[in-house]
């Protein structure tokens, strides 16, 4: 039995960020060199530095349980600290396969905002809640759990976890705990996070996707004509999504100003974990601001008609997709990523890039290739006029990790000067041209 309390252990070998220790710097140089009036600047990244940076948090897992050929992952921070996080791994069949076989696979990405604390917390807390909820959905008569039951279990796990974080705030501040402990229990709910969870059942070959916010999952599948087709597995949940606008306005018919400029009272995602400042009452938020360093969000000066909400929810949109067996001539792969990738390319472009990368791998084509000269692409510009974007004529295939391959192409691809410039800008300036990027690419193999 898995406790619904927030666990301290890391579930099923989850992968999280490793934070480096910041060492003190010397107050001045003591090299003995002759003083000058010249400024020495740090050296921008070379092409080799770019490759090292793109691969710093990359990984490849081969022959995973459940007939997964391999899956690749990578992360490129832009914020300091990085507000993205991710997990991956296997866990026992929640419905108890009679043979004892059939471990399920899980991959998830989390995109934090207003801080990294909540996305980091989800790497250890989400899967225990998901596994408990799925176990509770197991039919008592020994039959197979329905698709609807799985969907409801995933929705319950998300909302139960979020309630534990957000609704417990009252009990936290009224407790006898020291302020330091109260602060650590409150700060995840002060922050927010979009979450995208994908679960694969190898026995049924069903892929379940639960999504809040604007992380995105897409399926690439090869057709009979050899072309790669794109299937959306999630829908962006933001204040710019027509279905979300309609849902929110129906829920708050007397608050016509709630969605403006693609945002819900200034918040872009419409379904999130945390974001207590959009879920707590005005009176409670005032107490937090005065006594517990609560955030001044949303701005009362800008959003004068803001009432009590809650205006956003952690209830995910859930889909289930049947993954074909590649033995039937339909190889397929899953791409899940935070919006840092999707800011640079469309779903179709991502599938095309990975599909071509996959074909080259199967054909034994070397990853390295002759690169086009920088002058082929014109002047290098990054700023308000142009941000990091993938362009078809700049596509490059020089990485043996599919996730790194997507990141490089999103930053400029074969335009080496553009990629170097994108990585030369460091936090906080880098956030004006690129977001944190986290990608996982899963290649489905034949049924076990």
């Amino acid at each position: 039995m898995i406790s619904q309390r927030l666990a301290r252990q890391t579930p099923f070998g989850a992968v999280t960020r490793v934070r480096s220790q910041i060492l003190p710097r010397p107050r001045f140089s003591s090299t003995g060199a002759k003083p000058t009036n010249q400024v020495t600047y740090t050296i921008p990244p070379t092409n080799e530095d770019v490759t090292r940076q793109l691969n710093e948090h990359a990984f490849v897992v081969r022959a995973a349980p459940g007939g997964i050929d391999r899956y690749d992952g990578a992360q490129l921070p832009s914020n300091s600290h990085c507000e993205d996080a991710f997990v991956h791994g296997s866990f026992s069949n929640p419905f108890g396969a009679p043979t004892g076989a059939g471990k399920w696979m899980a991959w998830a990405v989390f995109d934090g905002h207003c801080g990294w604390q909540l996305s980091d917390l989800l790497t250890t807390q989400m899967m225990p809640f998901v596994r408990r909820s799925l176990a509770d959905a197991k039919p008592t008569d020994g039959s197979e759990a329905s698709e609807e039951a799985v969907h409801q279990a995933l929705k319950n796990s998300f909302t139960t976890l979020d309630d534990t974080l957000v609704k417990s705030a009252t009990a936290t501040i009224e407790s006898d705990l020291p302020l330091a402990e109260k602060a650590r229990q409150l700060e995840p709910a002060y922050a927010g996070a979009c979450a995208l969870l994908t679960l694969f059942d190898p026995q049924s070959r069903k892929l379940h996707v639960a999504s809040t916010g604007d992380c995105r999952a897409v399926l690439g599948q090869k057709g009979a004509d050899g072309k790669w087709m794109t299937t959306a597995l999630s829908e962006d949940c933001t204040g710019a999504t027509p279905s979300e606008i309609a849902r929110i306005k129906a829920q708050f018919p007397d608050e016509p100003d709630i969605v403006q400029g693609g945002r819900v009272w200034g918040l872009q995602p419409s379904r999130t974990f945390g974001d207590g400042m959009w879920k707590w009452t005005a009176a409670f938020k005032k107490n937090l601001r005065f006594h517990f360093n609560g955030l001044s969000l949303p701005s009362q000066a800008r959003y004068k008609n803001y009432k009590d909400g809650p205006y956003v929810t952690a209830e995910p949109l859930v889909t289930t997709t049947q993954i074909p067996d590649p033995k039937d001539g339909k190889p397929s792969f899953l791409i899940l990523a935070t919006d840092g990738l999707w800011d640079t390319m469309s779903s179709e472009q991502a599938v095309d890039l990975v599909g071509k990368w996959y074909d080259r791998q199967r054909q034994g084509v070397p990853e390295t290739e002759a690169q086009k000269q920088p002058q082929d692409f014109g002047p290098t510009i990054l700023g308000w006029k142009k941000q990091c974007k993938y362009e078809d004529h700049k596509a490059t295939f020089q990485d043996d990790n599919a996730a790194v391959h997507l990141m490089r192409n999103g930053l400029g691809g074969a335009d080496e000067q553009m990629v170097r410039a994108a990585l030369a800008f460091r936090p906080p300036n880098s956030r004006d041209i690129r977001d944190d990027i986290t990608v996982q690419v899963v290649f489905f193999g034949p049924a076990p």
Side-chain angles (χ1 to χ4, degrees):
M1 191 67 72
I2 300 173
S3 172
Q4 289 293 74
R5 297 175 60 191
L6 295 184
R8 292 184 181 274
Q9 69 274 14
T10 300
F12 73 104
V15 175
T16 60
R17 296 188 299 277
V18 177
R19 305 192 186 284
S20 58
Q21 182 181 3
I22 300 177
L23 300 176
R25 293 187 176 184
R27 295 179 61 188
F28 57 86
S29 174
S30 58
T31 60
K34 183 179 180 180
T36 70
N37 291 328
Q38 295 182 340
V39 176
T40 301
Y41 295 99
T42 57
I43 300 174
T46 64
N47 291 334
E48 292 74 19
D49 295 332
V50 165
T51 297
R52 281 193 293 269
Q53 190 170 343
L54 292 177
N55 283 275
E56 183 177 359
H57 303 289
F59 61 90
V60 176
V61 177
R62 303 179 187 275
I68 303 299
D69 269 353
R70 64 181 276 180
Y71 61 89
D72 301 5
Q75 183 178 86
L76 179 67
S78 183
N79 287 294
S80 180
H81 294 294
C82 179
E83 293 181 341
D84 280 6
F86 61 93
V87 297
H88 59 86
S90 63
F91 62 100
S92 58
N93 188 320
F95 305 123
T99 60
K103 281 191 172 184
W104 284 31
M105 289 297 301
W107 304 271
V109 293
F110 310 113
D111 183 359
H113 48 265
C114 299
W116 53 266
Q117 292 86 346
L118 185 50
S119 60
D120 188 69
L121 180 144
L122 291 176
T123 62
T124 59
Q125 305 304 322
M126 173 172 278
M127 284 309 298
F129 278 75
V130 168
R131 295 179 66 185
R132 169 63 182 271
S133 190
L134 288 171
D136 288 345
K138 180 180 179 180
T140 57
D141 61 2
S143 61
E144 181 180 354
S146 67
E147 193 171 292
E148 293 74 16
V150 173
H151 286 202
Q152 191 58 53
L154 291 174
K155 292 178 181 179
N156 291 344
S157 66
F158 275 48
T159 55
T160 301
L161 174 54
D162 191 60
D163 286 347
T164 302
L165 295 167
V166 176
K167 292 185 177 181
S168 63
T170 300
T172 296
I173 66 175
E174 292 177 353
S175 71
D176 295 327
L177 292 172
L179 180 58
E181 291 192 38
K182 292 179 180 180
R184 285 300 170 91
Q185 292 187 22
L186 289 170
E187 67 172 1
Y190 286 175
C194 304
L196 175 66
L197 171 68
T198 62
L199 303 177
F200 181 60
D201 174 7
Q203 299 300 311
S204 65
R205 295 193 68 82
K206 288 182 178 180
L207 179 69
H208 307 288
V209 178
S211 175
T212 65
D214 53 7
C215 299
R216 189 184 305 170
V218 298
L219 182 71
Q221 184 174 323
K222 200 166 193 178
D225 59 358
K227 296 181 179 180
W228 290 93
M229 301 175 292
T230 304
T231 302
L233 302 178
S234 63
E235 181 180 19
D236 294 354
C237 302
T238 73
T241 306
S243 58
E244 288 294 282
I245 296 173
R247 175 184 66 82
I248 294 168
K249 288 189 172 182
Q251 186 178 356
F252 301 96
D254 299 328
E255 301 182 49
D257 300 331
I258 187 172
V259 181
Q260 298 288 336
R263 294 175 178 267
V264 182
W265 294 126
L267 183 66
Q268 187 170 11
S270 54
R271 296 175 187 254
T272 68
F273 279 93
D275 286 318
M277 294 301 172
W278 281 262
K279 297 175 182 178
W280 291 316
T281 65
F284 187 69
K285 290 194 297 182
K286 184 176 182 180
N287 186 10
L288 293 173
R289 288 167 179 159
F290 272 76
H291 303 102
F292 300 94
N293 197 31
L295 305 179
S296 297
L297 294 171
S299 168
Q300 290 179 317
R302 184 173 182 181
Y303 304 108
K304 297 181 184 297
N305 296 324
Y306 183 98
K307 295 182 180 179
D308 281 340
Y311 294 107
V312 293
T313 176
E315 181 176 306
L317 298 181
V318 185
T319 64
T320 296
T321 302
Q322 190 73 35
I323 301 301
D325 193 317
K327 292 178 181 178
D328 300 330
K330 293 184 177 180
S332 55
F333 56 81
L334 161 71
I335 304 173
L336 63 155
T338 57
D339 68 337
L341 178 73
W342 306 118
D343 289 342
T344 69
M345 65 182 65
S346 68
S347 300
E348 291 75 16
Q349 288 173 325
V351 167
D352 182 65
L353 278 168
V354 174
K356 290 177 178 176
W357 179 94
Y358 173 88
D359 289 339
R360 293 168 67 92
Q361 293 278 323
R362 301 287 288 184
Q363 295 164 7
V365 178
E367 292 82 7
T368 56
E369 62 180 9
Q371 296 299 300
K372 302 174 183 177
Q373 295 301 313
Q375 58 264 31
D376 292 345
F377 307 113
T380 303
I381 299 172
L382 280 174
W384 283 12
K385 186 174 182 179
K386 185 175 184 179
Q387 297 180 334
C388 295
K389 288 286 184 182
Y390 167 68
E391 299 176 72
D392 291 342
H393 69 286
K394 295 182 179 181
T396 184
F397 300 82
Q398 55 182 294
D399 298 292
D400 58 6
N401 180 305
V404 173
H405 168 65
L406 285 174
M407 293 197 311
R408 184 190 296 273
N409 277 283
L411 297 176
D415 189 345
E416 294 178 349
Q417 293 303 316
M418 180 67 77
V419 179
R420 288 182 62 209
L423 296 185
F425 287 102
R426 294 172 291 188
N429 297 330
S430 58
R431 276 295 285 113
D432 291 331
I433 57 171
R434 59 182 176 89
D435 198 356
D436 298 328
I437 303 175
T438 302
V439 188
Q440 296 192 67
V441 184
V442 181
F443 297 93
F444 296 101

